[in-house]
Amino acid sequence: MKDLKMLDLKNIKIGDNSLISEKVNIIIEDTLKYQWEALNDHVEGAPKSGAINNFRIAAGEISGEYYGRVFQDSDLAKWLEAVSYSLALKNNEELEGLMKEAIDLVVKAQWKDGYLDTYFTINEPTKRWSDLRDKHEMYCAGHMIEAAVANYEVTGDETLLNVARRLADHLCSMFGPEPEKRHAYPGHEEIELALVKLYHATSEKKYLDLAHYFIRERGKAPYYFKIEALARGGLKAEELFYSEPFRLSSKQLFKKVNLDGLWKPERLDYCQAHKPVTEQEEAIGHAVRAMYLYSGMADVAMDAGDDELAEACKRLWNDVINRKMYITGGIGSSSFGEAFTFAYDLPNDLAYTETCASIGLIFLAQRMFKMEQDAKYINVMERALYNTVFAAMASDGKEFFYVNPLEVWPEACHKREDHKHVKTERQKWYDCACCPPNIARLLIMIPEIKTDKTAKIS
Amino acid sequence: MKDLKMLDLKNIKIGDNSLISEKVNIIIEDTLKYQWEALNDHVEGAPKSGAINNFRIAAGEISGEYYGRVFQDSDLAKWLEAVSYSLALKNNEELEGLMKEAIDLVVKAQWKDGYLDTYFTINEPTKRWSDLRDKHEMYCAGHMIEAAVANYEVTGDETLLNVARRLADHLCSMFGPEPEKRHAYPGHEEIELALVKLYHATSEKKYLDLAHYFIRERGKAPYYFKIEALARGGLKAEELFYSEPFRLSSKQLFKKVNLDGLWKPERLDYCQAHKPVTEQEEAIGHAVRAMYLYSGMADVAMDAGDDELAEACKRLWNDVINRKMYITGGIGSSSFGEAFTFAYDLPNDLAYTETCASIGLIFLAQRMFKMEQDAKYINVMERALYNTVFAAMASDGKEFFYVNPLEVWPEACHKREDHKHVKTERQKWYDCACCPPNIARLLIMIPEIKTDKTAKIS
């Protein structure tokens, strides 16, 4: 396998008249400041975020209650990553000041042992790492590590990188193949690709090894997610009615599960933990999780020389591209589970096609291109970028789509329960706000992503 | 308004070679016996019914636990009605014996004051009439009254008719415009048309008056359903997570509602109680409920000479037929709520189009024809009969469809949550088994229904 030289973002210039340049400039000039306001709950008419407030509470600066989803921290992390990259393209003292303010909060919110997650810090400090399947601690850690690497690469400052190292060291102390460590992996993948980035930034091979371990341990029987739930003390009422936070269309729907239901295979499918990744034949479950997993697999395949993983990536890529991708580069055709369904099931009106899933597909395409150096991967990247991600942000950079169907009948979206996941207008923010800051960081990363190709030519 | 003479079922003969004759004969020869077995939980591989067992328990013959939905009694009532009609067409000692056995149970299950409902008798005897919106006591009463009238008309025996009279007298003592009575109406309509039938059978005008009262009281503010819930003692946990029994596709889904949610307008829309029926401009909510309500309205309009009701019937009929009916005579295009959505929203693959809704449409068409004597109503009746109801029963009379979409992609029905209400094969029985015995009674009634037209000619 050949690797490609990555160009330093600071040495890249996008032509002033390109569409990409226009989008990148909107992010720099308007979106990042706007999103800071949203994360601070200052945007009138937008759903509350609570993300920065949660960090203020966890940092001990104020008292208060945690607000939002268990993965609210990741919204700030994505913003930090985006702002960091933006400073490589254009100096902006205001954004730099806000960034430092945010980093200061993150530093203060980190535990002495490296742990970082405001949900557990505020709400359930004694229960950290007790529910890897649904509580997203590693997902949030992954985004913060990505932010830290971006911040370090652009600014040279090691403050956030040190947070990331301590956090990753904590993970290394908790998880791994050694008998005294937990043989586990996250419910929402993301940490894997982040650890590879941290490995590149620090040359610490243990981070690559941990990413490799998470990927290879995934889906082995007996299933870790069953073990940890038993360890939590059997069935509790909250488990009988476990929330389906992924179902945007009907946030208030709860699913009643019986004891067996808690472990039923489709819940493992949902997070690609139903069998070892090298045995997985088709893309399945939550589309964003799948994309982040496959991206991490490709990274590790290249850096660790794991050819089985590379083969799995190619197989899964082909399944997505040939059988489960819309013409727009949208993926994940079902609202229920924000998930893949089955081959060629691509309804136009019921499409979920989450913005984050297409962003994940772009990340995967980037890695597949690095691995194979075939322009077909760049074609898919461009398809998703131009037809889904660009369309998911308003031209003023302040409103966003989460769901991107190919056909919209507004009255049906308002009046049919099975169409309620479709919004007929872009929104200022979301209760589950993964997409807006993901769009920001993806667009600001484009110069880096796109120039993989240039790098080969030059 | 002109009324039409109804012919006695015993004097009607269907030509031996007709499709209708074929269907009626299957019901007589096979379906009724089969359904008795199903109601007795003796059909292998079929979901348990519990209906007859519930009556045995309520009758004091055995001890045990109530099984099934709150409206399980209505399954036996529909069967009794169908068997009664069948005896007008063909003697059958075995069916007659089973019928008498069932009637004996019903007699024993009735309270001294006339009350009859095995769910409350077994489970919550102190809570009868405490939840008219969701607990279906009047719905079950209506079906038992229909059965009793059929039984009396065909056999001349007054045993079941007396049960119906005592039950209806009990209703008359509980509900009505007088200050000491409850100013209420049922969540699931059906009692209205049944009371009109009982009025015809007994010439007791108080039954017609009560039907008229239920219909005219419906939808007046302050809403009775709110008053009764407050009377139950405010919010309880079971109200926070109230079941959505109407949603066949995902029985395990529960809806979390807040205090306001419990009263939110769409819950009233769902059972056509959002405004007085004479002010209702369009067909809305649960399609079966709507059809039974409109049928009762038409009955009362004719018998009580209420022209406002007749006008409302014509308006609502036109809305259904011109804007909300499939080409198959299917109605109710949404699985969620088994409901109407909005004008011209008729997706082929997501259609719910419950068998019972088309049966209700046939009942309504029969009444509209009686009212207007226009063949267009018979055309709709035939459309629904031939294209939906006939297709909903297998040729052997032992398997049934509940949901009747116009387009089926089997893999999607198995794998897409938003298509799971669609079964790709007819089922032996259902947990919510309203449709199979409804098909039986409808088909056996055809000679009577269809000959309204003949009656005019002759």
Side-chain angles (χ1 to χ4, degrees), chain A residues 174-215:
Chain A
M174 290 283 298
F175 304 98
E178 298 83 356
E180 72 278 11
K181 295 182 184 175
R182 287 198 210 169
H183 304 162
Y185 41 86
H188 194 316
E189 306 90 330
E190 151 67 22
I191 188 69
E192 302 86 348
L193 68 84
L195 285 169
V196 175
K197 282 191 175 182
L198 189 62
Y199 159 63
H200 289 165
T202 64
S203 301
E204 285 274 16
K205 188 164 172 294
K206 64 180 177 181
Y207 302 140
L208 174 65
D209 292 343
L210 184 59
H212 200 175
Y213 174 76
F214 281 145
I215 286 169

Side-chain angles (χ1 to χ4, degrees), chain B residues 162-175:
Chain B
N162 284 334
V163 169
R165 292 179 79 131
R166 292 176 59 215
L167 176 52
D169 290 345
H170 175 67
L171 290 173
C172 288
S173 75
M174 290 284 298
F175 305 99

Side-chain angles (χ1 to χ4, degrees), chain B residues 439-451:
Chain B
I439 295 170
R441 72 175 188 129
L442 184 277
L443 294 182
I444 207 83
M445 267 193 265
I446 289 175
E448 188 188 64
I449 291 174
K450 292 277 291 181
T451 46

Side-chain angles (χ1 to χ4, degrees), chain B residues 122-396:
Chain B
I122 298 169
N123 275 2
E124 305 188 277
T126 62
K127 293 187 180 168
R128 19 178 251 176
W129 306 125
S130 65
D131 184 358
L132 299 192
R133 193 187 71 178
D134 292 337
K135 293 285 170 65
H136 291 69
E137 286 156 296
M138 288 203 206
Y139 170 81
C140 291
H143 279 298
M144 196 57 79
I145 291 169
E146 283 202 273
V149 171
N151 192 264
Y152 168 70
E153 286 181 350
V154 171
T155 68
D157 183 80
E158 295 194 18
T159 311
L160 198 56
L161 187 70
N162 284 334
V163 169
R165 292 179 79 131
R166 292 176 59 215
L167 176 52
D169 290 345
H170 175 67
L171 290 173
C172 288
S173 75
M174 290 284 298
F175 305 99
E178 297 83 358
E180 72 277 13
K181 296 181 183 175
R182 286 199 210 167
H183 304 163
Y185 41 86
H188 194 315
E189 307 90 331
E190 151 68 22
I191 188 68
E192 302 85 350
L193 69 85
L195 285 169
V196 175
K197 283 191 174 183
L198 189 62
Y199 159 64
H200 289 164
T202 64
S203 301
E204 285 274 15
K205 187 163 172 295
K206 65 179 176 182
Y207 302 141
L208 174 64
D209 292 343
L210 184 59
H212 201 175
Y213 174 76
F214 281 146
I215 286 167
R216 283 298 207 155
E217 182 67 16
R218 190 168 205 87
K220 283 188 185 167
Y223 300 109
Y224 178 74
F225 296 146
K226 177 167 184 172
I227 294 166
E228 68 165 10
L230 290 172
R232 286 198 300 273
L235 266 187
K236 281 169 272 176
E238 62 185 327
E239 290 167 329
L240 270 174
F241 294 88
Y242 72 83
S243 154
E244 303 270 350
F246 46 82
R247 194 172 179 191
L248 186 74
S249 66
S250 31
K251 293 188 205 85
Q252 295 177 307
L253 286 177
F254 278 63
K255 196 166 186 181
K256 190 186 175 190
V257 290
N258 57 25
L259 185 57
D260 287 329
L262 202 61
W263 319 117
K264 58 186 178 181
E266 58 263 42
R267 187 71 186 158
L268 295 172
D269 292 359
Y270 167 68
C271 50
Q272 302 82 38
H274 54 302
K275 57 168 105 165
V277 296
T278 51
E279 294 173 21
Q280 295 187 21
E281 298 287 335
E282 61 164 338
I284 200 166
H286 188 267
V288 177
R289 296 179 193 226
M291 291 305 102
Y292 288 6
L293 169 64
Y294 306 161
S295 296
M297 285 164 61
D299 282 338
V300 169
M302 288 185 279
D303 280 328
D306 186 334
D307 291 345
E308 273 190 353
L309 281 186
E311 284 310 308
C313 286
K314 287 179 226 170
R315 191 167 64 233
L316 293 164
W317 168 272
N318 285 330
D319 184 53
V320 172
I321 301 311
N322 298 329
R323 288 182 283 276
K324 293 170 183 168
M325 184 181 75
Y326 284 87
I327 196 168
T328 57
I331 55 172
S333 65
S334 169
S335 163
F336 188 83
E338 305 183 316
F340 290 111
T341 56
F342 57 95
Y344 312 114
D345 174 43
L346 300 166
N348 289 336
D349 57 344
L350 294 170
Y352 196 74
T353 46
E354 183 183 341
T355 307
C356 285
S358 286
I359 291 172
L361 179 62
I362 289 169
F363 292 149
L364 177 59
Q366 178 195 27
R367 284 145 174 97
M368 295 307 293
F369 175 73
K370 279 176 71 178
M371 188 189 285
E372 299 262 292
Q373 296 166 31
D374 186 325
K376 71 180 182 180
Y377 296 111
I378 302 294
N379 285 339
V380 169
M381 183 190 287
E382 290 186 337
R383 182 185 289 276
L385 182 68
Y386 287 111
N387 298 286
T388 295
V389 182
F390 276 0
M393 185 173 78
S395 56
D396 69 355

Side-chain angles (χ1 to χ4, degrees), chain A residues 252-254 256 333-334 336 341-342 344-345 347 350 409 411-412 415-419, chain B residues 252-254 256 333-334 336 341-342 344-345 347 350 409 411-412 415-419:
Chain A
Q252 295 176 309
L253 287 176
F254 278 64
K256 189 185 176 191
S333 65
S334 170
F336 187 83
T341 55
F342 57 96
Y344 312 113
D345 174 43
L350 293 170
W409 186 7
E411 199 166 6
K415 295 180 179 173
R416 282 193 70 93
E417 193 68 19
D418 47 19
H419 284 64
Chain B
Q252 295 177 307
L253 286 177
F254 278 63
K256 190 186 175 190
S333 65
S334 169
F336 188 83
T341 56
F342 57 95
Y344 312 114
D345 174 43
L350 294 170
W409 185 6
E411 197 166 8
K415 295 181 180 172
R416 282 194 69 95
E417 193 67 21
D418 47 20
H419 284 63

Side-chain angles (χ1 to χ4, degrees), chain A residues 13 139 150 171 183 236 332 363 416:
Chain A
K13 207 159 187 168
Y139 171 81
L171 290 173
H183 304 162
K236 281 169 272 176
F363 291 150
R416 282 193 70 93

